[in-house]
Amino acid sequence: MAGSMRGQRFGTSGSSRGPGAAPDPGTGSGSGRTRVHVVSDVHGNTEALARAGDGADALICLGDLVLFLDYADHSRGIFPDLFGVENADHIVELRTARRFEEAHAFGRQLWAGLDRDTLIEGAVRRQYAQMFAAFPTPTYATYGNVDVPGLWPEYADRDGITVLDGQRVEIGGRVFGFVGGGLPSPMRTPYEVDVEEYAAKVEALGEVDVLCSHIPPEVPELCYDTVARRFERGSEALLAAIRRTRPRYALFGHVHQPLARRMRIGNTECVNVGHFASTGRPWVLEW
């Protein structure tokens, strides 16, 4: 078992579970404070992930385990492994310049004659095998936009890992709701769902204490990436839920270098928990 977790005090409560509730992961006992570590955008940083739960009662992962292409180091990821660093340099240049159609055309040229699905699935499986083995017990996880949900059951099928998407769970007496994936974007990443489907997942959560998602609410300061120099896609449904249900916290990732890492919306503290791939440090929530 990776990581060293503290005494566990969580479970689900019949009074707090709603239509989006997850299967009961078991009820713990004990007293004192609860400490939860939260990560997002792991992107292949397995070594740090194995330590991310040290000293915590639980680990929460907000997705993007897969490393397809590291924009800071173009030699890392599935893409350069297949096509080399020079081609990775070029596609990053096109995407950064928002020349997405040219980037798609360049990608099609590289993939011509290759079994794209088989090659990508094999590479993703190798990454997932390492990362799911690194998760400590207990871990609560949802999907990012670059993840492949269809493969998760195979690797998450062990005690201590709970996958949630449009579902909620109680940890240390607080209700956490999870919404995975992203919304349609020019990047055409693997787990993008339409606006209506995403909003339905948010609605299924009802009132929660902590709203957990991969993408941020649709607020310009939270969605703008200062290095990529573009707005990432945020969710209006998340923003509406924050204003309507007023959770204590809204936690998310997705934007690697945001203009604002946190802000208050009414009574809710909205926090980008950080680009774990580069920092290797979890964000800490304690109560």
Side-chain angles (χ1 to χ4, degrees), residues 93-268:
E93 179 185 1
L94 292 175
R95 289 177 175 177
T96 302
R98 303 185 63 80
R99 294 157 59 186
F100 295 115
E101 290 305 320
E102 291 179 63
H104 294 318
F106 180 62
R108 286 193 298 269
Q109 177 184 341
L110 293 176
W111 285 107
L114 299 177
D115 188 341
R116 174 178 178 142
D117 291 343
T118 298
L119 289 171
I120 290 180
E121 180 175 325
V124 171
R125 283 183 178 277
R126 289 189 289 274
Q127 291 188 12
Y128 277 169
Q130 294 178 346
M131 283 181 284
F132 278 91
F135 276 139
T137 298
T139 291
Y140 301 90
T142 195
Y143 316 112
N145 60 295
V146 303
D147 284 313
V148 184
L151 297 181
W152 278 40
E154 180 177 341
Y155 299 97
D157 186 20
R158 68 169 172 87
D159 290 341
I161 298 178
T162 304
V163 179
L164 306 107
D165 187 14
Q167 297 167 293
R168 44 194 260 163
V169 67
E170 185 178 310
I171 304 173
R174 290 189 177 180
V175 179
F176 288 68
F178 291 76
V179 184
L183 293 170
S185 75
M187 303 295 283
R188 303 178 189 173
T189 50
Y191 189 45
E192 296 180 350
V193 300
D194 63 41
V195 172
E196 292 77 14
E197 180 182 349
Y198 194 92
K201 293 194 294 184
V202 175
E203 183 66 25
L205 299 179
E207 294 186 6
V208 298
D209 296 303
V210 184
L211 178 57
C212 300
S213 59
H214 178 67
I215 63 175
E218 182 58 58
V219 177
E221 294 90 337
L222 300 176
C223 294
Y224 187 73
D225 190 306
T226 60
V227 175
R229 301 192 302 277
R230 67 170 180 259
F231 288 97
E232 301 290 356
R233 187 85 187 264
S235 168
E236 294 180 359
L238 286 173
L239 180 59
I242 289 168
R243 288 171 169 163
R244 183 178 68 255
T245 65
R246 297 180 294 177
R248 296 171 187 257
Y249 292 92
L251 308 179
F252 48 87
H254 187 54
V255 184
H256 294 177
Q257 297 89 15
L259 182 62
R261 292 198 174 275
R262 60 193 303 162
M263 68 165 49
R264 293 195 71 85
I265 299 176
N267 295 326
T268 302

Side-chain angles (χ1 to χ4, degrees), residues 264-279:
R264 293 195 71 85
I265 299 176
N267 295 326
T268 302
E269 187 75 11
C270 300
V271 182
N272 184 317
V273 300
H275 182 222
F276 187 77
S278 61
T279 70

